[in-house]
Amino acid sequence: MSDDGGDGAAGGRGGIARSLRRFQQRVEPTAVRVLLLVVFVTGLTAQFVTPLGDALEGKAFLGGALLSLVAFVLYDALKELTAASRLPARVEASSRNLGNFVADAFESRRVEISFYGYTGETLFNELYHRLERLAEAPGPTRRVTVRMIVPDFSLPMFVPSRVGADGTAEDAPEFRDRIERKCQEYDQILSHLAEGLTRLGHVEVHCEYRVVAGPPLHKLCIFNRKRVLHGLYDLSSRMSLRTQYYDPKGYDTDLTVLAAERRPEDEPAVGMWVKHFDDLWALVAQVPEWRRRAAA
C-alpha cells in the first residue's frame, strides 16, 4: 500500500493520455476531411480563376485536387486498413501492468472484473486503489462486480509446496495456511471497502472470493466481459524462506490479450473464456471456509 502515491501519479498520467487519445480520435477524422476538401476546392477553383491558377502553377494542381477528392471519399477505408496493418498478430501484456486494464475497465458505467488464478495479489493491489478513489470521484461508474477464484488452500497440493531434497514437490500445510490467510485478508479488505462504497449510495459494489480444488495452473483476468488476459504460471518457480517452496510468481506471468471491442476476430475466444469462468463460478467454485465462519 506504500506506493499508492506512485500509482496515483501513474493513473493521472494515464488518464491524461487516454483523454488526449480520445480527443485525437474525435477530432482527427473531421480535421483531415476538412483539409482534403480545402485542397480539392482550391485546386479545382484554380482551373477557372486565372490569378489563382497562375499563382498555383496552372493545371499542376488539378491532379492534386482529384486525388484529394478520392482520399476524402476513401478516408475511412484507408484509416481502417492502416490500423489493421499496424495491429500485431497477438498482443502481450505483463502482469505488472494490470493497472492499465483496471483503469480502462472503470471508465464504464457497469464494471465487471473476474479473476481465476493463484492469489489475485497483483490484481488486488490495483483494485484496492481504484475502489478507494470511487468514494471521492466515481466518474461514470455506477456498479462494480469483482469475482475472484483461487485454489482451495485447505486441501493438500503439490504446487504451491515444499521443495524436496531431490527436487520433488512435497505438500506444505504451513505454507498453504500462509497463502490462505493472504487470500482471506484480500477478500475481507475488498468486501469491507465494497460495503462502505455501497452505503454511500453513489456506486453499488460487490467483491467476493471463491475457491476451487486443484493447483494454480493458469492466470485468467476478464475485464467487462470484453477483454481477456490469459497466461500460464511458471510452476517450477521457487521462493526461499527458511526453506524453499514451489511458489508461482503471478506478477512475473506474461499474458496474452484478447480484445473483442478492438479485434472482431477475438470475439469467439473472448466468449469462450467468459463462459468458462461463468461456469466455474456457478458450478465448481465454492464459498471458502473463512466466509462460512464469518456468516455463522
Side-chain angles (χ1 to χ4, degrees):
M1 313 288 177
S2 59
D3 54 2
D4 181 38
D7 288 349
R13 290 192 296 270
I16 293 173
R18 284 191 297 274
S19 297
L20 290 174
R21 284 197 300 271
R22 287 196 299 269
F23 177 76
Q24 180 185 8
Q25 290 168 358
R26 288 197 306 267
V27 173
E28 181 190 28
T30 302
V32 172
R33 285 189 175 89
V34 169
L35 181 60
L36 291 171
L37 196 57
V38 167
V39 173
F40 169 69
V41 171
T42 303
L44 191 61
T45 304
Q47 307 309 308
F48 303 101
V49 180
T50 302
L52 181 60
D54 292 341
L56 297 180
E57 298 181 357
K59 296 183 179 180
F61 270 73
L62 180 58
L66 293 177
L67 286 175
S68 67
L69 179 61
V70 172
F72 176 83
V73 174
L74 298 179
Y75 175 72
D76 284 334
L78 291 170
K79 186 179 178 185
E80 290 177 5
L81 182 61
T82 302
S85 67
R86 293 175 180 172
L87 199 61
R90 273 291 172 263
V91 180
E92 301 292 330
S94 168
S95 290
R96 300 172 188 265
N97 296 328
L98 284 180
N100 297 329
F101 294 92
V102 172
D104 287 343
F106 272 79
E107 291 184 356
S108 299
R109 186 176 182 84
R110 295 173 64 90
V111 178
E112 182 178 330
I113 297 177
S114 303
F115 171 85
Y116 176 36
Y118 189 17
T119 65
E121 179 176 13
T122 311
L123 184 58
F124 161 80
N125 290 327
E126 300 296 341
L127 285 171
Y128 177 81
H129 298 310
R130 181 58 55 175
L131 289 172
E132 269 196 328
R133 295 181 196 132
L134 286 183
E136 299 292 333
T141 304
R142 293 298 174 265
R143 181 181 177 87
V144 179
T145 301
V146 176
R147 300 182 294 174
M148 311 278 279
I149 299 179
V150 298
D152 187 348
F153 296 108
S154 67
L155 302 175
M157 59 180 61
F158 293 105
V159 176
S161 60
R162 184 185 303 108
V163 180
D166 56 354
T168 58
E170 302 174 352
D171 183 41
E174 75 286 351
F175 192 58
R176 287 191 285 105
D177 290 345
R178 179 176 182 268
I179 298 172
E180 184 178 46
R181 287 194 298 272
K182 273 189 176 183
C183 292
Q184 179 180 357
E185 181 182 5
Y186 300 154
D187 185 19
Q188 291 174 341
I189 290 174
L190 290 180
S191 296
H192 179 74
L193 191 54
E195 292 169 2
L197 288 167
T198 302
R199 280 197 300 271
L200 289 176
H202 302 302
V203 185
E204 181 181 349
V205 185
H206 177 76
C207 301
E208 182 180 353
Y209 265 69
R210 290 190 184 178
V211 298
V212 296
L217 302 179
H218 60 89
K219 181 172 188 173
L220 174 66
C221 302
I222 304 175
F223 298 95
N224 292 348
R225 306 178 76 85
K226 294 180 179 179
R227 193 173 298 181
V228 170
L229 279 65
H230 177 257
L232 298 175
Y233 287 116
D234 179 2
L235 300 181
S236 63
S237 181
R238 300 186 182 191
M239 170 187 283
S240 295
L241 297 175
R242 293 183 178 179
T243 186
Q244 277 201 327
Y245 297 94
Y246 287 119
D247 178 59
K249 293 179 174 59
Y251 56 83
D252 283 337
T253 303
D254 291 327
L255 303 167
T256 297
V257 181
L258 302 171
E261 80 280 17
R262 295 184 180 180
R263 296 175 55 96
E265 60 269 35
D266 284 349
E267 288 185 11
V270 169
M272 177 195 71
W273 281 115
V274 169
K275 182 182 185 303
H276 178 65
F277 186 92
D278 288 344
D279 290 346
L280 277 175
W281 186 264
L283 304 175
V284 181
Q286 302 294 313
V287 176
E289 180 62 29
W290 68 76
R291 273 186 171 263
R292 291 197 293 267
R293 289 195 303 265

